[in-house]
Amino acid sequence: MKALISVDMEGVSGIVHSSETNPERYDYQRGRELMTAEANAVIAGVLDAEPTADVLVADAHGTFRNLLPERLDRRARLVRGKPRALNMLAGLDEETDAALFVGYHVRAGEGPGVLAHTMNGEILDVRVAGRSLGETGLNTAMAGHLGVPVVLLSGDDAACAEMADLVPGTVTVAVKEALGMAAAVTLHPEEARDRLRRAAADAVTRRTEIPPLALTGPLDVEVDLAGPHTIDLATLIPGVARAAGARTVAFTAPDYGTAYRLILLLAQLATIRPA
């Protein structure tokens, strides 16, 4: 059995502010420790259920260099650094039996949600076949494109609700209740880890009961961008054009895998500042 654990940071228990998730801020080291501990709880849960499982852990926050390698459960392998294929899902393939999302957050524009956004602050919304998708939806659909079910998601209550709407059978663990962008009622980290370990074991055991999210092509995609310069850059990509509304670009993809990669490229272009 092969499992891919994708670990973000904003949805980790105890974390409510960017000072805990930004490498340039004073509280980041503490955030890294909390993130690594939750990853270890989920690794343990997977291996409780499947002791011989091949477990890959994808560091999926910001620089993709946040998890502390020396503190990660030695029974798992770590996917670290960028750029890399499939971004937050690096290591996922058709041979993967289950994907687990840890520390995830709700999409941009939803809330209340702790540190809500979609990929970065420059992406205002992504709509695939008319449906608004954040990182949870985009990644769940990419896993589904490869035939892989997302069996677990943890984060705040808003992130869990978003996942439940996408795939009702997915096991969710709300480690905090969002009060706003930078405020929450949070579980004690040790309590959160206990719940995550039990939930991961349950989710992996029930993996065949949870369907992959399959979006069949061709697919019309719209992306709302904050920066006008990003729109200028985006229209240099063949097939991407300005759409109705000053902030929107659109394209049609033959399948979801192609759509996902183009969305990742647009997110990367959004980080480029005018010279």
Side-chain angles (χ1 to χ4, degrees):
M1 185 261 177
K2 180 180 178 182
L4 186 282
I5 303 172
S6 174
V7 189
D8 206 350
M9 203 170 190
E10 289 88 354
V12 168
S13 62
I15 288 179
V16 297
H17 195 273
S18 60
S19 67
E20 298 159 320
T21 64
N22 186 332
E24 298 179 359
R25 303 294 293 277
Y26 74 97
D27 224 6
Y28 170 67
Q29 183 62 28
R30 176 173 165 275
R32 298 179 77 188
E33 293 169 357
L34 292 169
M35 179 187 185
T36 304
E38 286 204 358
N40 281 338
V42 175
I43 294 168
V46 171
L47 293 171
D48 287 344
E50 295 281 349
T52 62
D54 178 16
V55 181
L56 274 71
V57 178
D59 190 321
H61 173 71
T63 62
F64 297 170
R65 301 192 311 274
N66 309 278
L67 291 167
L68 300 166
E70 68 278 12
R71 296 195 188 177
L72 197 69
D73 190 318
R74 65 188 298 169
R75 297 173 294 175
R77 293 178 293 146
L78 174 62
V79 186
R80 191 170 192 259
K82 66 178 5 178
R84 65 196 193 194
L86 295 190
N87 204 48
M88 295 175 74
L89 299 179
L92 189 80
D93 58 25
E94 293 89 343
E95 302 303 314
T96 306
D97 295 289
L100 302 92
F101 295 169
V102 181
Y104 269 53
H105 52 81
V106 76
R107 68 185 182 272
E110 289 297 302
V114 176
L115 299 171
H117 66 278
T118 298
M119 296 188 173
N120 55 51
E122 301 299 318
I123 304 291
L124 303 177
D125 192 23
V126 178
R127 294 176 296 281
V128 179
R131 183 171 191 174
S132 179
L133 298 176
E135 290 168 34
T136 295
L138 294 169
N139 290 339
T140 299
M142 186 62 220
H145 180 68
L146 296 176
V148 181
V150 177
V151 300
L152 173 77
L153 177 135
S154 72
D156 67 15
D157 56 329
C160 291
E162 185 174 326
M163 185 74 242
D165 184 57
L166 287 164
V167 184
T170 296
V171 176
T172 60
V173 180
V175 300
K176 54 194 171 189
E177 177 188 351
L179 300 178
M181 187 68 171
V185 179
T186 180
L187 294 178
H188 188 284
E190 291 180 3
E191 174 64 22
R193 293 165 204 159
D194 288 346
R195 296 188 188 189
L196 284 169
R197 182 169 182 167
R198 292 193 298 268
D202 177 51
V204 167
T205 300
R206 298 199 292 110
R207 63 186 180 274
T208 59
E209 304 170 16
I210 301 170
L213 177 63
L215 301 182
T216 56
L219 294 164
D220 293 329
V221 180
E222 293 182 317
V223 181
D224 296 341
L225 299 161
H229 61 282
T230 307
I231 297 174
D232 295 338
L233 291 172
T235 56
L236 298 175
I237 302 171
V240 177
R242 295 176 187 269
R247 296 185 181 275
T248 306
V249 297
F251 61 88
T252 299
D255 55 65
Y256 186 78
T258 302
Y260 184 79
R261 288 171 172 83
L262 266 174
I263 293 165
L264 294 182
L265 178 56
L266 291 173
Q268 189 61 39
L269 288 177
T271 66
I272 298 174
R273 296 292 176 264

